[in-house]
Amino acid sequence: MIIVMKDEQTAQAVVTQAKSRQLNHVYRFKNRVGFAEIKTRADLSFINQADVVEMIAEHPAAMQVSRTFHPNDTVIQTAHSQIGGDNFNLIAGPDAIESADHVLTMGKFAQAAGATILRGGSYKPRTNPYSFQGLGEQGLKWHRAAADALGMDMMTEIMSPADVDLVGQYTDIFQVGTRNMQNFALLKAVGKQAKPVLLKRGMSATVDEWLSAAEYIASEGNTQIILMERGIRSFDQKYLRNTMDVSVIPVLRELTHLPILADPSHAAGVAEHVTATGLAAVAAGAQGLMIEIHDQPTKAWVDGKQALTPEQMINLFVKAQAIHDIVR
Amino acid sequence: MIIVMKDEQTAQAVVTQAKSRQLNHVYRFKNRVGFAEIKTRADLSFINQADVVEMIAEHPAAMQVSRTFHPNDTVIQTAHSQIGGDNFNLIAGPDAIESADHVLTMGKFAQAAGATILRGGSYKPRTNPYSFQGLGEQGLKWHRAAADALGMDMMTEIMSPADVDLVGQYTDIFQVGTRNMQNFALLKAVGKQAKPVLLKRGMSATVDEWLSAAEYIASEGNTQIILMERGIRSFDQKYLRNTMDVSVIPVLRELTHLPILADPSHAAGVAEHVTATGLAAVAAGAQGLMIEIHDQPTKAWVDGKQALTPEQMINLFVKAQAIHDIVR
Amino acid sequence: MIIVMKDEQTAQAVVTQAKSRQLNHVYRFKNRVGFAEIKTRADLSFINQADVVEMIAEHPAAMQVSRTFHPNDTVIQTAHSQIGGDNFNLIAGPDAIESADHVLTMGKFAQAAGATILRGGSYKPRTNPYSFQGLGEQGLKWHRAAADALGMDMMTEIMSPADVDLVGQYTDIFQVGTRNMQNFALLKAVGKQAKPVLLKRGMSATVDEWLSAAEYIASEGNTQIILMERGIRSFDQKYLRNTMDVSVIPVLRELTHLPILADPSHAAGVAEHVTATGLAAVAAGAQGLMIEIHDQPTKAWVDGKQALTPEQMINLFVKAQAIHDIVR
Amino acid sequence: MIIVMKDEQTAQAVVTQAKSRQLNHVYRFKNRVGFAEIKTRADLSFINQADVVEMIAEHPAAMQVSRTFHPNDTVIQTAHSQIGGDNFNLIAGPDAIESADHVLTMGKFAQAAGATILRGGSYKPRTNPYSFQGLGEQGLKWHRAAADALGMDMMTEIMSPADVDLVGQYTDIFQVGTRNMQNFALLKAVGKQAKPVLLKRGMSATVDEWLSAAEYIASEGNTQIILMERGIRSFDQKYLRNTMDVSVIPVLRELTHLPILADPSHAAGVAEHVTATGLAAVAAGAQGLMIEIHDQPTKAWVDGKQALTPEQMINLFVKAQAIHDIVR
């Protein structure tokens, strides 16, 4: 249940009253108060009806992340980026951190192409347990050093609640991967941090499941959440690793105030198709792109066949920016 | 098996020899000869090896429609349109033909927005047998008259081999719908016509199935084929009617020389999301768009909720053209 | 809208009145009258309320095939089989008719294993246009002769409305294949015949789409319809050709009165898994099975790798019968 | 690479040598030695070829869990159950632990119906963050007490590596849920335990992904793994919550030696269809079933609409046992 009050003051008063009545999960955005656990008006009879503009029983699966509760676009401010709203963000970097030099070189290319966020994995979710699993803390250090040297934000994947403190000492943005979209312990753990969280969509997650996963993070107090579409499971595994679900982007723009970015590298699975896939997402309304780059894709430690070269990245980013200017 | 000969002359000689040996399904494109039924070199020992540049055993599922057989983009020429290659085509019109006036009015709007092809259904594939099934020949007449009055190409759906002659008296382009993508009798029937065929992708058709369906048309002699992506079955039926599969577009551009257009009206299912979905397809490389329009969507006889108003169409087409200029 | 009248007589009177008022698509089953095009009570004010037991506005997508309209199981009677209700039917035969001898031999094996219906294709829906497309009328003749010699029902696939008359001269049961589930012209054509129609589910057809396709047949007057689940499109094409959707079987048993059989040969795609897949469908409530057999699977003209040998068929049918006895 | 040696002794010698050469991930099953990271014969030149029966380069995605490495069925022995091989296991209990009395009562019913494993959740993975999340340790205590009182095995879900020690103090079998199938940190954590792990399939996990997830557990030393099919994402959300993928069961029986059980409660989503769905899985070769029960389903704290009553459970288990006797 969402209650639209006549102003922020009366809204805050409702929150205060609700807490004194031991109601849980009560949130406020400007003059709106959201009761995540309450669905009937009777439970809210303590509210002065004269101050109420509207009572909204229906909202999408997850309350705090819905536009019904929070009509304006969320804009997330980091040291070097503004994410969401009319901004357009570029994130690039190697799939895996390989060395101090390599991540710095990749960062320079990324920055020159317009990226403000340097991505790279030190903890890698590999399908095969015997594959390289990332450099761990050593990778985080090199990654941090490169981001600092360049004046970029650092973003890296977190795979376990136990790693939150360590990774949090280095990264600016936590990335939660596809396989962990409904790893609720992890979502709660990053929900307790004061840093933005980028939440990738699960392989075949519905909109409601995805928004509810975001709500897990918000329910712990962290509302700096970025959604990332990365392609859904396809029935044609011969030619398509995943299908970039552009159709979900305008749907999400309507339902949620959170920024929605796209990852064409994983959606396409092969470098040849990353550009077309990425531009499609931007045309559909994505507020930014994340891509994997490598100066020598065939020598990349992980997923080299989907990495763009720096030149390919520049081509993609120039076109992406031009398309964003058309559609925003 | 595809044989690349040193020139067109020797290629034609191979075709002539093959036919004299009773070989079936032998096709030529410039200096290439394709043997649709032959997979081993031994069967082709009659060919003078001195004239052979290359023998290609591997090609995608369907030979004639593959780029291996036919490297250049196909460009289809109709009275008012050039479809394929670097061209960008706009197709618009009402879902169902409703009256002589209405299709003419819609055609004027479409043409003013840049469309050269006027679509509209007189034979409607409805899920429910008791729903309106189209006006039949009366609709075809009004549709033809409007196209003639405006100097546009007419395109309409054909649902049965028995209707080919009648529909063929009116239309410039045959449309084969999603549900009939593997209606092989229908594909053969339109394959015998001398008019272009637009072939929509089946609800969950793989690339190989789709290309093979196109090959059915080509196998009867008609190679004027246009492919149209129209959204694939989604697992999230709450928010998404279909998912526009932008990922398939660059894959097809690589595998086939046929033009690939997109239908965002059916992919989106609701007017609010048609624009974003259509622009995404263009950014991914679609060589044109088809949309449904209606001046009074709520009064449309069929599928009104996915119809754009003329104003919305103009907005979409202007942006689509601008994006096509960036990506082509 | 379905109206439950107090008895068959008053129900028939309602039908007569409705027709005199030019109402279309009015059907009766015992004391129930179904109005396929009417959704509001106001339009039915001519009915004497004193004779009405219940007015039912809600029913599944398709009226005539729903249990709401027709509560009892449909049982279809052919010369040699009773299909539906508590009966359990076995259908077997070669994928394609190959010769008079071969179909007769296969028929003998099938009959010995308990089958009463002899299947076989003379018109084959092949993905590749250059593949063998069936023997046509010659195949129908051999098939008919074998069925007559053995005292079995003949069932064969029909692919085009134009073939209905010819095929109808031979077959006892028309089969409409997966790719034609929404070939509405074909559905209407077999809907005009006085012979049972077996309707396979489309590759990714929803329940509503499938029942509505059946309703197309019923809407033309033919209510002798058998539904056949044959596996749905899988996202794991490496190991699974299709996924036998056992979950749909109890759903259909609830929603429709039509018999529901299963085709494990196409669902499994490889002989090794046909038995497990077929038994699963029976345990889920399928009222019969159809399988493909061949005495020399590696030499079968079509789809040999999914054909069971006669011995494997016997093993499957014995177990299927035993499981049906447990679950019915 | 898997090397079949002439006997167990020479196989063990190879393992010893490999370790002295710092080779990682070398495993032995009887006379077979598996090298998880090695794919070329050159790296194994130290092996005495005279003792080698066969070198197998190809095996399914995950080595240790494959039948190529471990041809015999794994049979897992717990205090009260033998799981796998020709055994047939029944697991039942409430979705969530509600009280000491309730879990004991449910356990009595389950045991009377033939179950040897008592399931129940004290840590619940809920889509909505504001839904009841389980009683935590209090639930574990009541669950343990009931299992001890009845002489049953206790099985409960684990959602975070941080909970492994605590949950491990109580449970006999760890359950890893659908949403955590690729939570690699969790898989590694339970892989270090000396207790069996039941691993549910992800919502749309491929066979390779599922087997590789199992291999994560095995790679840490724990090979007591049970696979559980629980229904895959369906495209028909109106009538089907999930689709029980019976087709995967015979595929897995071929590829892996691990026991494969099925969960019809989650696959069906509604009690009415649990029995049909569960029997289908058994007929397809599942080596056991897990179901949710409740004496008053409408009052269940979680997922009451899919819970069977004790009477329905008995009916299902009796038929399941009979079908298992037919197909094993």
Side-chain angles (χ1 to χ4, degrees), chain A residues 80-148:
Chain A
H80 307 287
S81 317
Q82 283 198 310
I83 306 162
D86 285 338
N87 300 292
F88 187 67
N89 290 95
L90 298 169
I91 308 173
D95 183 299
I97 301 299
E98 300 183 2
S99 72
D101 269 5
H102 188 258
V103 63
L104 182 63
T105 307
M106 292 305 99
K108 282 179 188 165
F109 281 121
Q111 193 173 44
T116 56
I117 302 174
L118 180 59
R119 61 147 290 153
S122 291
Y123 297 87
K124 299 295 309 163
R126 307 303 301 280
T127 300
N128 181 340
Y130 309 117
S131 298
F132 170 63
Q133 310 261 322
L135 291 175
E137 189 171 7
Q138 181 59 70
L140 296 175
K141 286 179 181 171
W142 290 337
H143 193 170
R144 180 73 262 166
D148 284 343

Side-chain angles (χ1 to χ4, degrees), chain A residues 182-194:
Chain A
Q182 290 190 312
N183 178 343
F184 298 130
L186 182 61
L187 298 178
K188 287 179 182 175
V190 294
K192 294 196 178 78
Q193 305 300 306

